[in-house]
Amino acid sequence: MPGETPMAQTIVLDATARAGVGKGAARSTRREGMVPGVIYGGGDDPVTISMKHNELLKRLKAGKFLSTLIKLNVDGKEHTVICRAVQRDVVRDLPIHVDFLRLSERSRISLFIPVEFVNHDQAPGLRRGGVLTVVRPDVELKVRAGDIPDHLTVDLTGLDVGDVVKISNVALPEGATPTITDRDFVIANISAPSALVSEEDEEAEAETEAEVEAEAEGDEEE
């Protein structure tokens, strides 16, 4: 439906429950090409799991893994989770342990949501050569797990040089609130083109020189 906020994509991953706990069991899991992990929260007991190393690494490289809703299939049982931490090897920077937080549809969590800017060609300031300066490419929101937006949309239509986009100008999903609550913070602004700034600087410099010359002439006449 037009005007609706697009919801975040959900990814599906497979995992296997593992009985062993502790460092020894974790090392054994890694030797098998798996990454040990745990699912916790949601009022249920923690579940220790293992995941295929290559599959997890692929998802991590794709980006936004910690801000994506995940359907985690553990031996046929589905858990709705979000990744809360990935421990990496300090030398190779490869995942060696992963923590998942179990969610319900109404669980509220804080996530960074990317900002998308649209209608650049409808902004007079940009058509005149102005520059869109993005202060916050993403915004941290507190949202329900079932209503995580894929992105926030900023419409640039009608914006001119000097105009500022603040969080109050952005439509948020129902029930979503910024984690920053003490101010109406800036998302982006349209600044003057460098050529215009240079011209204004030159004009100001010329005016200053003219004033100095006028003062000097007045001193001579006295």
Side-chain angles (χ1 to χ4, degrees), residues 51-120:
M51 305 178 62
K52 291 182 179 180
H53 181 276
N54 291 342
E55 181 62 22
L56 177 60
L57 187 59
K58 181 176 71 175
R59 294 293 185 178
L60 289 171
K61 288 182 176 180
K64 302 180 182 178
F65 190 69
L66 271 66
S67 60
T68 302
L69 204 63
I70 300 168
K71 298 295 185 182
L72 190 58
N73 185 353
V74 182
D75 297 335
K77 182 178 180 180
E78 187 178 87
H79 301 260
T80 301
V81 301
I82 193 164
C83 181
R84 268 305 179 221
V86 178
Q87 184 180 349
R88 295 174 180 267
D89 182 275
V90 294
V91 176
R92 297 181 297 168
D93 195 36
L94 296 175
I96 58 175
H97 194 277
V98 60
D99 292 351
F100 293 103
L101 175 64
R102 189 186 289 111
L103 303 172
S104 70
E105 288 293 300
R106 301 192 63 80
S107 297
R108 291 183 65 82
I109 52 177
S110 295
L111 294 174
F112 281 93
I113 307 300
V115 180
E116 180 178 286
F117 298 88
V118 299
N119 295 328
H120 291 69

Side-chain angles (χ1 to χ4, degrees), residues 152-174:
L152 302 178
T153 300
V154 171
D155 189 349
L156 300 175
T157 300
L159 297 186
D160 210 337
V161 171
D163 285 344
V164 176
V165 179
K166 296 185 177 182
I167 187 61
S168 60
N169 305 127
V170 182
L172 302 180
E174 183 180 355

Side-chain angles (χ1 to χ4, degrees), residues 15-38 48-54 56 95-98:
T16 303
R18 59 186 178 94
V21 295
K23 293 183 178 180
R27 283 195 294 267
S28 176
T29 298
R30 296 185 192 107
R31 283 196 295 268
E32 296 172 359
M34 309 288 280
V35 178
V38 63
T48 53
I49 61 170
S50 59
M51 305 178 62
K52 291 182 179 180
H53 181 276
N54 291 342
L56 177 60
I96 58 175
H97 194 277
V98 60

